[in-house]
């Protein structure tokens, strides 16, 4: 472990997402499995954390940093004195959710998004597993309409 803080990053090996969006205020739908009665919808410990999301609030909408041949998201910082997990607030985009029915949510950015590369990032359980999470990546194209 270094005395100098280092960033922990999730990296996608292409400069642009395949999924392109032509609106600056896209609408996304999240679908979650609705499990039978019990104390939670999180599933068993054996099913793994990555399968346990039950709400869009467990995700972060992130504007990705782009280089020539890849995109990245800072997912934490580490040094000899401290470890911090999570995406820095300056890289996140606020969104609002609306429950449509059990397990189905509509998600929209709170404000119009500027052209760039974005992702929904899900990092539950990754700190103890040595992973960096999962992403759904997309790009908002220049000139995207507000509707």
């Amino acid at each position: 472990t270094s005395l100098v803080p280092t960033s922990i990053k999730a990296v996608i090996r292409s400069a642009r997402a395949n999924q392109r969006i032509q609106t600056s205020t896209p609408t996304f739908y999240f679908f979650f499995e609705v499990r039978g009665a019990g104390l939670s919808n999180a599933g068993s410990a054996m099913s793994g954390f990555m399968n346990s999301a039950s709400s869009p609030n467990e995700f972060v909408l992130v504007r990705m940093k782009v280089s020539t041949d890849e995109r990245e998201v800072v997912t934490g910082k580490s040094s000899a004195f401290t470890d911090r997990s999570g995406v820095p607030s300056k890289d996140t985009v606020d969104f609002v959710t609306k429950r449509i029915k059990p397990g189905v949510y509509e998600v929209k950015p709170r404000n119009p998004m500027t052209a760039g590369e974005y992702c929904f990032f899900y990092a539950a359980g990754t700190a103890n597993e040595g992973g960096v999470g999962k992403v759904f990546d997309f790009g908002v194209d220049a000139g995207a309409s507000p509707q």
Side-chain angles (χ1 to χ4, degrees):
T1 305
S2 171
L3 293 176
V4 178
T6 57
S7 294
I8 301 164
K9 301 174 183 176
V11 177
I12 299 177
R13 304 273 181 223
S14 64
R16 285 175 47 96
N18 289 330
Q19 179 68 45
R20 308 309 301 169
I21 296 179
Q22 305 303 316
T23 177
S24 61
T25 54
T27 301
F28 299 92
Y29 292 92
F30 282 61
F31 297 86
F32 299 98
E33 181 178 346
V34 178
R35 299 179 191 260
L39 295 176
S40 75
N41 286 340
S44 70
M46 298 304 289
S47 68
F49 287 107
M50 299 310 278
N51 296 323
S52 64
S54 60
S55 163
N57 294 325
E58 297 176 58
F59 294 78
V60 181
L61 180 53
V62 182
R63 182 175 176 109
M64 303 179 83
K65 181 180 175 187
V66 180
S67 66
T68 305
D69 58 353
E70 63 188 25
R71 292 163 286 144
E72 65 184 39
V73 175
V74 173
T75 61
K77 299 218 182 252
S78 180
S79 74
F81 304 108
T82 184
D83 287 326
R84 293 184 60 192
S85 63
V87 176
S89 296
K90 67 179 179 59
D91 297 336
T92 64
V93 176
D94 287 339
F95 61 87
V96 293
T97 64
K98 177 181 172 185
R99 183 175 174 261
I100 304 299
K101 64 181 187 177
V104 180
Y105 296 84
E106 180 181 271
V107 175
K108 295 181 179 184
R110 187 171 302 278
N111 299 302
M113 300 170 74
T114 59
E117 300 298 314
Y118 295 87
C119 72
F120 280 100
F121 178 71
Y122 178 66
T126 59
N128 295 331
E129 299 169 16
V132 292
K134 288 189 175 184
V135 299
F136 167 76
D137 63 323
F138 63 95
V140 175
D141 289 333
S145 69
Q147 290 293 334

